Amino acid sequence: MTETLDIKITKTKNSRLQETDFNNLPFGKTFSDHMFVADYADGEWKNFEIVPYGEIGLSPAISALHYGQSFFEGLKAYKHADGQVSVFRPNKNAARFNKSAERLCMPELPEDIFIQSIAAIVDIDRDWVPAKPNHSMYIRPFMFATDPYLGVAPSTTYKYMVLVGPTGPYFSKVLRVKIETYFTRSAEGGMGYAKSSGNYGGSMFPAKKATEEGFDQLIWTDAKDHLYVEEMGAANVMFMLDGKLITPSTRDTILDGVTRDTVLTMAREWGMPVEERRVSVAEIIEGAKNGKLTDAFGAGTAATIAAVGSISHNGEEYFLSDPKTREFSQKVLKELDAIKYGSVPDMHGWNYMV
Ligand SMILES: *Cc1c(COP(=O)(O)O)cnc(C)c1O
């Protein structure tokens, strides 16, 4: 049942669209003219507004800042050749938004409000959706606690916001990745499955160390023994091993990615053998050595399909085949783009038209 959300709209008087360089759009740096804002208080969501993008005033005592009661989502809007704009599978992000909220003792946001807020902000700034291959509009919904209270307890008030901005390709190069065997992103019983802000703050130090060693990304392993592969940076990780598509099964240490689900769905439809299970570091290294590991990539909304060029483990670097020659990930990337940009029929109902 869909009730139309009553959104108060204040349009900017000074659009920045004309002065924005659409030929130079590094991820996450350019924001559109507007943003969506809503408040939670007295047990309900209210004050739905679209306002000019800009700074907001907040108490310095909010628990989002002190205790990390904060989480986010990430999805994208695409411009089709006929000028129509679609958002890819927003219902999946709506569901995950509420999983994150639950884990952080934050209020659920009805799926309807999530979808309508995104449709409204994308619609008002639809001229900001780039009409170029490999370009899209990144959508960043997020929620954070706003009680001015330093007690370690769930806040009673929250803000929900959505920022949007045009973006170009995320990774421009083939990645050198390192299998992390000391630091951990998430542990059993933790909040790895939530897009909780603190997970990302905590991942920066290990990532920085890896960058200093010359790597582009980390492959996270299980917190207990570091024997099983979990994710790659802030993306899910997939391998083609001995002719089978293999990826770690989701569990509370792993973010259940929309891209992951999409790739697995397509692979199954193509008749590709797919295994979702625990994936050991040993079998990946063995496959890299004996040539049975024919593809490896990260899968996520921001990066889409990010090819792994080499995998390092305990100081040894194993090189994989030239990504341009990899049949599966090339095919997936092409098909995924074709669906998102509307150049093939959307058989799964994945495109939400704005
Ligand atoms: C967002 C994210 C992913 C990818 O999820 P998508 O829904 O495909 O964008 C994977 N792992 C982590 C840790 C993430 O934060």
Side-chain angles (χ1 to χ4, degrees), residues 147-191:
D147 278 4
Y149 170 54
L150 290 181
V152 183
S155 184
T156 59
T157 62
Y158 295 88
K159 250 189 207 311
Y160 164 63
M161 298 183 62
V162 187
L163 307 180
V164 299
T167 184
Y170 194 74
F171 292 119
S172 42
K173 59 170 179 172
V174 175
L175 306 173
R176 274 184 85 195
V177 307
K178 174 192 164 185
I179 296 183
E180 179 59 62
T181 51
Y182 177 71
F183 293 110
T184 330
R185 190 190 84 89
S186 68
E188 273 170 41
M191 53 185 185

Side-chain angles (χ1 to χ4, degrees), residues 263-281:
V263 172
L264 294 180
T265 301
M266 293 191 326
R268 287 187 173 114
E269 287 172 4
W270 294 338
M272 169 78 55
V274 172
E275 289 180 6
E276 293 180 69
R277 56 170 174 80
R278 297 212 82 181
V279 178
S280 73
V281 171

Side-chain angles (χ1 to χ4, degrees), residues 72 74 93 96 185 195 200 231 233-236 255-260 299-302:
F72 63 94
N93 299 86
R96 195 168 65 196
R185 190 190 84 89
K195 248 175 146 70
Y200 303 84
E231 297 207 55
N236 294 112
L255 201 288
D256 186 358
V258 178
T259 317
R260 176 187 182 281
T301 297

Side-chain angles (χ1 to χ4, degrees), residues 86-148:
S86 64
V87 177
F88 194 66
R89 307 188 73 183
N91 54 318
K92 297 285 281 182
N93 299 86
R96 195 168 65 196
F97 200 72
N98 286 327
K99 274 201 198 172
S100 296
E102 182 194 37
R103 181 63 180 80
L104 289 158
C105 292
M106 294 166 70
E108 186 170 305
L109 181 77
E111 177 168 332
D112 217 31
I113 297 183
F114 183 90
I115 305 272
Q116 287 193 54
S117 65
I118 286 168
I121 190 73
V122 170
D123 184 35
I124 202 163
D125 282 338
R126 65 166 60 236
D127 291 345
W128 286 82
V129 185
K132 264 167 99 168
N134 298 320
H135 286 62
S136 57
M137 175 186 262
Y138 185 72
I139 306 167
R140 169 52 61 88
F142 58 111
M143 193 201 292
F144 58 95
T146 53
D147 278 4

